[in-house]
Amino acid sequence: MKTTYSYKDIVLQPAYSEIESRSKLDASVEFLGKVFESAALPANMKCTIDFKKARELSEAGYFYILHRFYEYDDIINWMVENEDMKTISVSVGVNKKDYNFIDKIVKDDIRVDFITIDVAHGHHILVKDMITYIKDRLSVKVIAGNVGTFAVAQDLYEWGADAVKVGLSMGKSCTTYNCTGVGTPMFSTVETIAKQKYLKWIPNDETDWQKGDYKNISIPVIADGQIREVGDICKALVAGANMVMIGSEFAKCEDSPADIIGGPALNNENKKVFFGSASSTNKGHQGYVEGQTVYLDMRNETYLQYLDRINQGIQSCMSYAGVNEITLLSGMEYYIHTNN
């Protein structure tokens, strides 16, 4: 039986440092060929990202993934209207309408930089088919998920995904674990996938695939779920994540797309309404529901303020680790502390 750990089980260990000022450390990240101002991004859910926030984050230099629950015609119009944005990043599923969406992008030659295949169980023939369909038609970075083991991540990477989204049933509104028993303790899962390497044949001549060599490949990872504190983001980076996706903590922000509810039933306090993509609220029916609606304490903080606080936490963690590059956090030592 294998022992695995969640973020709450991990305590990071400081090391000797010669860093004079943490404020001068660079918390930006390079991800799939682009540099972003933070390793953090909101989950691609209705409660945490919309057209307005996507544009705001892009223009400020942050990464985002637009959710797939708009009408695709509206997403197409938004993409066309915003082709001068720094980053255009959208999500798709694996159904007929998703293929039609890809066809429309190809037919009208619409710019897109990232496409995320967003399904609950990423190790699936339908995901493989969609990766192939996109890669055969578009020069775009494909993120696929969600996954929970290295073997699965390797399959998606071999199918053509440029990065994988890691995490099953770990979100605050997710009930997949309760309904199915399936789950991924995030620290161990991310570490297993992000830090393991495999040999892959890399051609160095586009016209002759015999010219090339085997190279050790690390699969780029977005850690998705179980973030409750800024320290958890640091722990995800120590586990080896390239980017960290956050749902409920972004939804709490005063400018999140999540609805606000109040009244006597909530002690006359305003709360943010947060629900999962597999919830009945999002699906519009009760079939195979693996999510719930929760009411979050609203935080007097905007997305940009929260991202700044995240970056300050990462800078401080880098200082404690004695490293001046964010990628070097993956070598930071840690303790296991399960009595909490």
Side-chain angles (χ1 to χ4, degrees), residues 37-295:
E37 292 297 318
S38 178
L41 72 154
N44 50 338
M45 304 166 67
K46 281 184 178 180
C47 301
T48 52
I49 192 75
D50 61 6
F51 289 141
K52 180 180 178 182
K53 300 310 294 182
R55 180 173 180 82
E56 177 187 4
L57 291 172
S58 173
E59 292 310 293
Y62 296 101
F63 188 46
Y64 72 91
I65 301 173
L66 187 69
H67 70 72
R68 61 183 173 86
F69 304 108
Y70 284 115
E71 293 296 327
Y72 275 139
D73 285 345
D74 293 334
I75 297 178
I76 288 287
N77 291 336
W78 178 81
M79 292 167 70
V80 170
E81 291 169 1
N82 291 281
E83 283 196 303
D84 62 338
M85 280 173 54
K86 293 180 181 179
T87 303
I88 296 182
S89 174
V90 299
S91 302
V92 297
V94 292
N95 297 315
K96 177 63 177 174
K97 66 177 183 179
D98 303 290
Y99 282 90
N100 292 340
F101 177 55
I102 299 300
D103 290 342
K104 180 69 172 175
I105 291 173
V106 173
K107 178 176 179 294
D108 293 350
D109 192 25
I110 299 170
R111 179 194 149 209
V112 59
D113 304 305
F114 298 86
I115 296 178
T116 295
I117 301 171
D118 175 39
V119 297
H121 180 31
H123 200 209
H124 199 286
I125 184 63
L126 296 179
V127 172
K128 180 180 181 181
D129 291 345
M130 179 56 86
I131 293 173
T132 302
Y133 196 82
I134 294 171
K135 283 293 192 175
D136 284 349
R137 289 160 178 79
L138 291 167
S139 178
V140 64
K141 298 298 184 183
V142 172
I143 301 163
N146 279 26
V147 304
T149 68
F150 177 76
V152 171
Q154 184 176 342
D155 275 353
L156 267 63
Y157 196 76
E158 289 288 343
W159 296 344
D162 298 285
V164 296
K165 196 144 71 75
V166 173
L168 303 171
S169 72
M170 292 294 110
K172 196 173 186 70
S173 64
C174 186
T175 60
T176 298
Y177 178 75
N178 307 76
C179 295
T180 69
V182 174
T184 52
M186 286 300 292
F187 186 88
S188 295
T189 302
V190 171
E191 185 175 48
T192 298
I193 295 173
K195 292 187 178 179
Q196 193 165 329
K197 298 179 184 294
Y198 75 101
L199 285 175
K200 179 177 174 62
W201 178 260
I202 305 294
N204 55 25
D205 188 332
E206 292 183 1
T207 62
D208 187 354
W209 273 64
Q210 291 184 339
K211 295 181 179 179
D213 198 0
Y214 284 99
K215 295 183 180 178
N216 276 318
I217 297 296
S218 295
I219 300 172
V221 162
I222 298 177
D224 176 19
Q226 209 175 56
I227 300 298
R228 303 292 181 263
E229 306 286 348
V230 171
D232 294 334
I233 301 167
C234 298
K235 294 174 187 179
L237 296 174
V238 170
N242 301 85
M243 304 289 287
V244 185
M245 180 172 273
I246 306 158
S248 61
E249 291 302 307
F250 269 108
K252 290 177 182 178
C253 291
E254 62 186 19
D255 60 338
S256 79
D259 290 336
I260 299 174
I261 191 172
L266 296 171
N267 297 319
N268 293 316
E269 295 179 357
N270 287 332
K271 304 278 187 179
K272 284 282 190 173
V273 182
F274 183 64
F275 54 85
S277 297
S279 65
S280 59
T281 305
N282 194 55
K283 286 185 168 188
H285 60 77
Q286 294 292 332
Y288 301 102
V289 169
E290 294 177 13
Q292 62 184 343
T293 298
V294 296
Y295 303 104

